[in-house]
Amino acid sequence: MPHVQNGWYLAAWSDEVGRTLTQRWIAGNPVCLYRLGDGTPVALEDRCPHRKFPLSLGRLDGDVLECNYHGYRFDGTGACVGVAEQQDRPRAAARRFRLLERDGIVWIWPGDPDRADESQLPDTSWLTDPNWTHVQGVLPLKARHLLLVENLLDLSHETFLHPTTIGNAAVAATPIEVTTAGPKVYFQRRMIGVPAPPFYQKSMGLTGLVDRWQDGEFHPPGIFVLNIRLAATGTEEPEGFHMKVLYGMTPATEHECHDFYALARDYAIDDEQLTTFQHEQQLAVMAEDVQALEVQEVMYATERRRVAESSIRSDLAALRGRRVLRKMLAAEAAEEEAAAGRMPAAR
Amino acid sequence: MAVGPAAPARVAPVSRVPGPAEPIDVTVVGRRMAAADVVELTVARPATEPLPQWTPGAHVDVLLPTGAVRQYSLCGDPADDRSWRLGVLREPAGRGGSGWLCEHAVEGTSLTLRGPRNNFALVDAERYVFVAGGVGITPVLPMVHAADRAGRPWTLWYGGRHRSSMAFLDELTRYGDRVRIRPEDESGLLDLAGVLADAGPGTLVYCCGPAGLIDAMQNRCRSLPAGTLRVERFTAVSQPVDDGADRDIEVLCQASGLTVPVPAGCGILDAVRRAGLDVLSSCTEGICGTCETTVLDGVPEHRDSLLTEEERAAGDTMMICVSRARGDRLVLDL
Ligand code: FES
Ligand code: FES
Ligand SMILES: [Fe+2]
């Protein structure tokens, strides 16, 4: 299955991009990431227009990128500005992707740059808000994008997959409410008067019954934000402990993803021990997810005759997400076909 | 923003740990019609052991012999640990669970339950506004009694199609004008602005009823402090807004040229299969989307859980395992 191109994906945390050429596959595209001297992040298709050699294996000469195979040279817009040691000035350009840097994130829009729409990005101001603190990172995942999307849109799995950290029976036992707004899918799971799972007991000192809110937002194709609130049961908003988790679910190739995460909280923000503890726990939870998704990927990839899956109510948000992605892909496929129909066949 | 451990919570007098999911065997000991289409069942344990504790807003799972599981709110007295009361809406044909209970559960019938669980607990507040639509009254009834016993000011707005379809009116008369009965055929839809006029600071609003009512309340309550509105939906399914009764319809399958009559009580999926068409399906409950079919003509009446409001309104696709037609004819791409 190809990937949606006209949409934002998390390409990198800002501090991952610098003056070193870095290759990252994004939604089926090899991307070469680096910064110009003035700090502007650049993403070029990591295929030299000459003989497809990865540009990321080249070198930076000031703001000019030189291919290490036959010396094609490119400026920050991707235009070829000459060939080292030669007189030729080929009219060639490496495709440049649209980037947007905000709140410590480099977002990429792999499709038509003219259609890149900032308003589709979720609010990430909490990543730089002084009243919040966060940890972040990225894990490689050998599973298809859809499995990651569905993992996050159906958190009933916390009960079974993460029982020692963030899950307990209340999660799966509490139904979700799903709403949509255009292509975005939202769900709410409000657990009222339930025991707190171990992670929250330790993070927040909550030992009695709690109200636990899990409000998820899927910004297709690749962004998920989870808004978490815990408080002793009956406590009213805005009292309570708030956390947010941003997941950049960035497909790499057909069967691989980058699993970006940022975990933030609005309480005890100077408690570094707590930060370390929460980061370790987050990684432990994600290790369980990665392991599950990777074995799940094998099962999907090797099924000879595709048998229809069974679904239940708790799948509704994930099923909606799947529908949205399918529609976006179908629309892009139709556009491509229409475009191909208009153009003479390539020779 | 809270720093460090939370301030001591205002104690919720009513909330409980969801119990383990053990099955509880009970026997139906009473059955009456609480309204034209609501069957009230009283169940008790065959042995003399007490039933588990519950709190207003709790529901139980009923494990039906058909294999289906349905949730019903407990609507009796939480202090009664010998028997439980459930209100069961007689639903339009085609939705397994309630139909079975309404037809087969009589005095002496054995049932298996699970729970109780409470996702809709009554949290302590200075005052309450309760809003119930139709059979949504069942979890609200014990809440009303509890709020009244606790001496809190409250009002109940109770909407339904007509008086005869509204359960437990008899039990509510003693509260006088704190209960606002609003049958649709007498006073139209609930006036939500009026309902919320009572919701001053310190008020919690509890709402249970059809999806349309809950959605409308959620929209209305956007401007109130978060957490003011607490809702419970019975199922992910929105009840059909029309009379809900199935009619005989006719489905023209364009691709295969077949015209298939679909009698009331029979789903389109079953009917076209019987007519020899090979159609994929999985959940047969309107959840998974496997049976999605393109609508070429006619207006579908959507009873699935998956389609969004926009997709419903567009009317060009439907889940034929549960959905039917607004008119008496559909043309499908089958
Ligand atoms: S492949 Fe880059 S210069 Fe030849
Ligand atoms: S078979 Fe699942 S929606 Fe119809
Ligand atoms: Fe997980």
Side-chain angles (χ1 to χ4, degrees), chain A residues 48 50-53 67 69-72:
Chain A
C48 180
H50 180 226
R51 290 293 181 271
K52 320 280 182 197
F53 193 75
C67 179
Y69 198 12
H70 315 95
Y72 269 48

Side-chain angles (χ1 to χ4, degrees), chain B residues 4-302:
Chain B
R10 294 211 277 134
V11 178
V14 282
S15 60
R16 95 179 255 295
V17 187
E22 285 162 51
I24 309 164
D25 292 319
V26 296
T27 307
V28 177
V29 297
R31 172 186 168 117
R32 72 167 185 127
M33 295 309 290
D37 50 4
V38 180
V39 178
E40 176 194 301
L41 297 177
T42 307
V43 301
R45 240 165 157 184
T48 49
E49 309 112 81
L51 288 160
Q53 291 267 305
W54 63 280
T55 54
H59 68 267
V60 291
D61 292 339
V62 179
L63 280 57
L64 294 164
T66 59
V69 180
R70 289 285 179 272
Q71 273 99 38
Y72 297 97
S73 298
L74 293 174
C75 60
D77 178 1
D80 178 0
D81 62 1
R82 298 287 142 181
S83 70
W84 284 348
R85 186 167 72 156
L86 315 176
V88 181
L89 175 68
R90 193 194 289 278
E91 283 176 286
R95 307 219 41 241
S98 297
W100 190 93
L101 274 180
C102 291
E103 275 161 40
H104 300 276
V106 294
E107 270 174 57
T109 305
S110 305
L111 293 176
T112 307
L113 311 185
R114 212 167 42 194
R117 283 198 300 257
N118 199 339
N119 300 324
F120 190 44
L122 186 66
V123 174
D124 196 17
E126 281 158 40
R127 52 177 292 137
Y128 299 97
V129 173
F130 299 107
V131 184
V135 78
I137 190 66
T138 49
V140 173
L141 194 63
M143 291 189 172
V144 165
H145 295 321
D148 198 68
R149 261 197 311 274
R152 299 286 191 276
W154 59 270
T155 43
L156 164 64
W157 296 77
Y158 180 14
R161 288 205 189 97
H162 26 257
R163 241 166 236 277
S164 65
S165 71
M166 296 171 69
F168 308 121
L169 291 180
D170 45 348
E171 236 165 273
L172 290 165
T173 50
R174 66 172 143 127
Y175 293 122
D177 65 0
R178 270 175 294 169
V179 179
R180 322 265 160 90
I181 310 286
R182 296 290 183 268
E184 202 179 319
D185 58 352
E186 294 172 26
S187 35
L189 288 177
L190 279 178
D191 161 28
L192 299 186
V195 168
L196 291 169
D198 295 344
T203 306
L204 286 185
V205 182
Y206 282 81
C207 175
C208 183
L213 173 67
I214 291 180
D215 294 344
M217 283 293 286
Q218 283 179 330
N219 272 328
R220 285 265 170 190
C221 290
R222 285 243 150 100
S223 55
L224 299 179
T228 300
L229 176 66
R230 301 179 181 230
V231 303
E232 175 145 279
R233 293 174 196 257
F234 279 138
T235 61
V237 177
S238 39
Q239 299 295 331
V241 280
D242 65 349
D243 64 0
D246 282 358
R247 281 179 304 271
D248 295 350
I249 57 171
E250 196 176 79
V251 169
L252 172 60
C253 304
Q254 184 90 305
S256 48
L258 284 179
T259 300
V260 182
V262 184
C266 170
I268 296 178
L269 176 70
D270 289 337
V272 299
R273 277 214 177 126
R274 255 176 247 156
L277 292 185
D278 193 15
V279 187
L280 287 181
S281 73
S282 170
C283 71
T284 66
E285 277 195 273
I287 293 174
C288 69
T290 310
C291 68
E292 181 166 2
T293 303
T294 301
V295 180
L296 300 170
D297 195 20
V299 182
E301 182 184 302
H302 298 289

Side-chain angles (χ1 to χ4, degrees), chain A residues 131 175 177 180 182 192-193 209 232-237 240-241 266-267 309-313 316 319-320 323 327, chain B residues 1-2 4-6 9-10 16-17 119 123 218 226 231 233 236 282 285 287-288 292 305-308 310-311:
Chain A
N131 293 317
E177 268 184 43
T180 51
I192 306 296
L209 296 182
T233 186
T235 310
E236 284 177 25
E237 245 319 73
F241 300 88
D266 76 343
Y267 55 94
E309 300 150 318
S310 161
S311 298
I312 52 176
R313 287 188 191 287
L316 271 175
L319 288 167
R320 286 257 172 95
R323 273 179 88 75
K327 274 193 190 169
Chain B
M1 183 191 65
R10 294 211 277 134
R16 95 179 255 295
V17 187
N119 300 324
V123 174
Q218 283 179 330
V231 303
R233 293 174 196 257
S282 170
E285 277 195 273
I287 293 174
C288 69
E292 181 166 2
S305 305
L306 185 62
L307 293 177
T308 64
E310 290 154 36
E311 290 170 323

